[in-house]
Amino acid sequence: MILNRFEWTVAKRYLLPGRGEAFIALVAGISLVAVALGVAALVVVMSVMNGFRAELLDKIVGLNGHAIIQAYGGRLDNWEQVLKDVRATPGVVKASPLIEQPLLTTFNGRVEAILVRGQTAPDIAAMKSKVISGSMDAITPDSGMVAIGARLAESLGARVGDSITVINPTGRDTPFGTVPRQVAYQVGAIFEVGIYDYDNAFVIMPIADAQTLLLTGDSIGMIEVKTDNADKAAEMLAPLGKKLAGQATITDWKTINAQLFDALAVDRVVTFVVLSLIVLVASFNILSSLIMLVRAKTRDIAIMRTMGASRRSIMKIFLTIGAVIGSLGTGAGLVLGFVFLFYRQNVLNFVQMVTGQQLWDPKIRFLTELPSRSDPVEVIGIVAMALGLSFVFTLFPAFKAASTDPVQVLRYE
């Protein structure tokens, strides 16, 4: 829509109403602010939800792989052959043996439920970037050293160098019954993955030490698999599943975390729809302000029509006014949204300090910090929706102004 000099001059004049039209200007200003707030809210919330899903996926998949091959009964005896078959499967980039078993640990009279993870040396070394105290280099077979999560360390009151006792309830059979197996391990490292459930439960040790603790001999519990495409992990491993039928089951990350990610997807859609109502209400404000402007300028419109202005020119003038209000509001909303996202953690900490409430509880949110990841396509969609609604709600007052009959308006002038 290209405006000539006359149309643009009139549009600029109407965008800045005179003294007698202060109320119209107020309504237009409220419309602009409402559009900005609606766009900002959508950008912030959708980016945070995208970041939450992406961070959660990265941390879960980064620690547990894209799929798990788990033996029936919890023991995979011929795991070396299965491991070779897995590594030979097209699309598989990494496969590692793994032992994972829920147990108990005690320290200074405190007892906590834990999840013992027996991992290979390369997998333990890959955790170095997560260490906040100690060193993963100390976690070697037969060293008696383990790494524990940061939240677990807090719960136990344990630090690097302290000795914790891991209890295996199955233990050994004796003439007096089954005696739980208790093994002392020294804390060699404390790590923080960023997911509360993991940091509150994981105790990582070499796989050989885990086999000794659990009395499983040379067998393992599962094989962790990573592929070159996480979304197609189940399809890539489907041929292998037929080979392992009756011996083990293959579960991909989507199935393991289906409930969590389905809930996130539903919440994401519902949140987008609800917040879109803010932009819708703002568009109604644009409609009402333009209707009032048309009524206030009826005489001016009639005069312009008698001086030769076409209906098309009048319509373009009012469409431009609505588009400018919508565009300014959308632009301001984008700036406000991205500024808020940049300082999101500071804003969250400030609100928590003022209210005295913990708004981001890691026990509930899984992650320790407020994440954010903006999707350019989604941001473009939000902008298109805001501009589209602003344009649609401008059409009626523009048509109304263009249909003004100068004869009827100026009859008694």
Side-chain angles (χ1 to χ4, degrees):
M1 185 173 62
I2 301 176
L3 276 69
N4 57 37
R5 186 175 181 181
F6 160 73
E7 294 164 349
W8 180 239
T9 301
V10 175
K12 286 194 295 183
R13 169 65 184 83
Y14 285 175
L15 277 168
L16 301 171
R19 293 180 180 179
E21 298 155 355
F23 183 72
I24 298 176
L26 176 64
V27 175
I30 293 174
S31 304
L32 190 151
V33 172
V35 171
L37 291 177
V39 171
L42 278 170
V43 169
V44 170
V45 173
M46 299 309 294
S47 295
V48 168
M49 294 192 72
N50 286 340
F52 185 82
R53 183 184 185 279
E55 287 291 321
L56 200 58
L57 176 59
D58 289 345
K59 292 181 184 294
I60 289 176
V61 171
L63 198 62
N64 291 331
H66 299 153
I68 294 292
I69 300 174
Q70 189 164 18
Y72 292 114
R75 289 194 179 187
L76 192 62
D77 295 320
N78 62 331
W79 61 271
E80 293 93 344
Q81 183 58 47
V82 175
L83 188 61
K84 289 180 182 179
D85 293 339
V86 174
R87 288 173 174 170
T89 302
V92 173
V93 296
K94 182 182 177 184
S96 303
L98 177 69
I99 293 177
E100 195 170 274
Q101 182 69 34
L103 296 177
L104 295 173
T105 187
T106 64
F107 177 73
N108 283 347
R110 300 181 183 180
V111 181
E112 294 289 339
I114 61 172
L115 195 62
V116 169
R117 281 176 66 95
Q119 296 183 312
T120 61
D123 289 336
I124 292 176
M127 293 284 293
K128 287 183 179 180
S129 60
K130 308 295 183 183
V131 173
I132 59 175
S133 180
S135 173
M136 280 293 183
D137 294 332
I139 315 302
T140 57
D142 300 323
S143 64
M145 296 277 194
V146 296
I148 65 176
R151 303 286 85 76
L152 177 60
E154 290 178 6
S155 300
L156 292 173
R159 294 175 296 179
V160 172
D162 290 337
S163 181
I164 63 173
T165 301
V166 178
I167 303 172
N168 180 5
T170 55
R172 293 182 181 274
D173 293 329
T174 70
F176 302 99
T178 302
V179 178
R181 181 174 174 77
Q182 300 185 36
V183 181
Y185 293 97
Q186 188 176 358
V187 178
I190 297 175
F191 61 86
E192 185 172 23
V193 176
I195 298 180
Y196 183 85
D197 287 354
Y198 294 169
D199 293 335
N200 193 49
F202 276 4
V203 173
I204 295 176
M205 63 178 64
I207 196 166
D209 290 359
Q211 289 171 335
T212 302
L213 171 66
L214 299 172
L215 305 174
T216 59
D218 189 45
S219 65
I220 63 170
M222 59 188 71
I223 294 175
E224 178 187 85
V225 183
K226 290 188 178 180
T227 64
D228 55 11
N229 189 334
D231 291 326
K232 295 183 178 180
E235 299 174 16
M236 293 177 181
L237 297 175
L240 185 63
K242 296 177 182 178
K243 282 186 181 182
L244 299 176
Q247 182 181 4
T249 180
I250 301 177
T251 310
D252 70 333
W253 65 271
K254 291 181 181 178
T255 304
I256 296 172
N257 304 286
Q259 187 174 3
L260 174 61
F261 285 101
D262 286 348
L264 286 175
V266 172
D267 192 30
R268 188 165 171 268
V269 173
V270 171
T271 302
F272 182 84
V273 172
V274 171
L275 292 179
S276 296
L277 295 178
I278 300 177
V279 181
L280 184 63
V281 171
S283 300
F284 274 109
N285 285 339
I286 294 176
L287 172 66
S288 61
S289 65
L290 286 180
I291 288 176
M292 287 189 292
L293 183 62
V294 169
R295 290 182 63 85
K297 299 297 183 181
T298 300
R299 185 171 177 275
D300 293 358
I301 295 170
I303 293 173
M304 285 188 288
R305 291 280 289 114
T306 58
M307 293 176 65
S310 65
R311 293 179 183 271
R312 181 182 177 85
S313 293
I314 300 299
M315 179 178 291
K316 286 166 66 177
I317 289 170
F318 285 91
L319 285 176
T320 299
I321 296 171
V324 168
I325 294 173
S327 299
L328 291 176
T330 302
L334 285 177
V335 173
L336 179 63
F338 285 117
V339 168
F340 187 94
L341 287 175
F342 185 79
Y343 294 104
R344 64 188 182 281
Q345 197 61 43
N346 295 331
V347 173
L348 178 63
N349 294 336
F350 175 76
V351 174
Q352 289 183 153
M353 182 184 67
V354 171
T355 61
Q357 300 293 324
Q358 188 175 16
L359 303 179
W360 188 265
D361 188 352
K363 296 180 182 179
I364 300 173
R365 309 294 183 182
F366 296 100
L367 302 179
T368 53
E369 291 187 353
L370 183 66
S372 171
R373 185 172 297 186
S374 299
D375 182 358
V377 175
E378 202 165 64
V379 172
I380 292 173
I382 293 171
V383 171
M385 181 192 69
L387 295 178
L389 286 174
S390 300
F391 179 78
V392 168
F393 282 91
T394 303
L395 289 175
F396 175 75
F399 277 117
K400 189 72 175 175
S403 61
T404 300
D405 186 355
V407 176
Q408 294 294 329
V409 174
L410 301 175
R411 174 177 296 179
Y412 302 105
E413 293 292 333

